[in-house]
Amino acid sequence: MITLYDLVLQDDRRPSPFCWRAKFTLKHKGLSWRDEPMGFTEKDKIAFAQSQTVPVIHDGTAVVKDSWAIAEHLDKAHPDKPIFKSEMALGYARFVSGWVDTAVHPALFVLIVGDLYDRVRPVDQPYFKESRGKRLGTTDFAGFQTRAREKGLPALRAVLEPARRMLRDQPFLAGRHPAYPDYALAGAFLWARTVSLLTLLEPDDPIYAWRERMLDLYDGMGRKAKTA
């Protein structure tokens, strides 16, 4: 059995976009796993992996950290239902993951940081306040979020334009069927969905319909996640 170390907030919310990538990858490959939830301040749980962040998996004797490394490992260790079917697919997935990490996540984080803080476990809130406060230059997360939303929502929607152009002509970023590029972007939306009620997309946006398909995927795994 594979063990996945997954970030947990209050009321068993699981927001980590990177852990969602790992979960989608596991489902894609038809693999089962056991969750090991951990809070921000329980880094001792993953010390064995020499990691400070999740996801981490324990797969037999293999210990793997980082969502990208996990996907590569799973394809090698469990070759059925490959997630990277070619060198081109691997390169495309790496590009989309990098775009999500460097463009989508920053644009989204400022819109949900106050909601995120409110849902962090009380024992973890001092850690969150210190670490994210340094990043933003303030610990007034509610005020920062309010100001960010005044202009940040159109900015996020503009950042998403490359995906929008793809999804006008095909159901998934990877084509007719979902693959790692879809899982990378879906993780970002599930990050927001688990902590915030903010409406990110208009119903006529092609990304909206794609997100609905992603929530329905794998017996509605995304829809079953505890939300704000």
Side-chain angles (χ1 to χ4, degrees):
M1 174 69 74
I2 296 170
T3 299
L4 170 67
Y5 291 79
D6 187 13
L7 180 66
V8 64
L9 304 189
Q10 293 181 47
D11 304 320
D12 199 35
R13 289 183 176 87
R14 306 296 181 91
S16 169
F18 300 105
C19 290
W20 277 108
R21 293 182 193 184
K23 292 173 195 176
F24 276 118
T25 300
L26 287 160
K27 282 288 189 180
H28 179 107
K29 297 188 68 62
L31 298 169
S32 59
W33 74 92
R34 179 184 71 88
D35 278 332
E36 181 62 46
M38 54 170 282
F40 281 107
T41 55
E42 294 181 302
K43 296 182 186 296
D44 57 300
K45 286 190 175 183
I46 52 174
F48 70 91
Q50 288 78 54
S51 182
Q52 293 289 304
T53 59
V54 290
V56 169
I57 65 165
H58 214 149
D59 181 12
T61 60
V63 173
V64 190
K65 59 184 178 180
D66 181 79
S67 54
W68 181 263
I70 287 170
E72 290 189 305
H73 161 79
L74 292 174
D75 251 5
K76 292 175 183 176
H78 308 275
D80 289 347
K81 301 178 182 177
I83 195 164
F84 304 124
K85 293 184 177 181
S86 66
E87 184 176 350
M88 183 180 296
L90 181 71
Y92 175 48
R94 190 185 297 275
F95 177 82
V96 174
S97 298
W99 167 68
V100 173
D101 293 348
T102 60
V104 178
H105 283 177
L108 183 56
F109 176 68
V110 297
L111 302 178
I112 64 171
V113 62
D115 294 336
L116 186 57
Y117 176 71
D118 288 343
R119 287 164 176 79
V120 171
R121 301 185 311 172
V123 68
D124 295 327
Q125 284 184 336
Y127 168 84
F128 187 95
K129 181 177 286 189
E130 179 182 2
S131 61
R132 275 51 177 184
K134 287 180 180 177
R135 183 185 306 178
L136 298 177
T138 179
T139 56
D140 176 16
F141 300 130
F144 184 94
Q145 176 178 279
T146 297
R147 293 188 295 274
R149 288 183 180 183
E150 292 175 0
K151 59 180 179 180
L153 195 53
L156 171 67
R157 291 172 179 171
V159 163
L160 291 168
E161 182 61 22
R164 187 173 295 111
R165 293 188 182 195
M166 294 287 288
L167 295 168
R168 287 193 182 106
D169 299 317
Q170 58 192 51
F172 297 101
L173 294 178
R176 289 182 297 171
H177 306 285
Y180 201 83
D182 298 278
Y183 306 151
L185 185 57
F189 282 106
L190 280 160
W191 182 31
R193 181 180 170 86
T194 56
V195 300
S196 180
L197 295 173
L198 178 65
T199 299
L200 298 175
L201 301 167
E202 296 295 341
D204 61 349
D205 190 329
I207 302 174
Y208 182 98
W210 165 87
R211 185 184 62 182
E212 295 300 297
R213 289 191 287 273
M214 295 303 297
L215 290 173
D216 289 336
L217 207 60
Y218 305 126
D219 297 320
M221 179 176 69
R223 289 199 189 279
K224 292 174 185 176
K226 187 160 288 189
T227 59

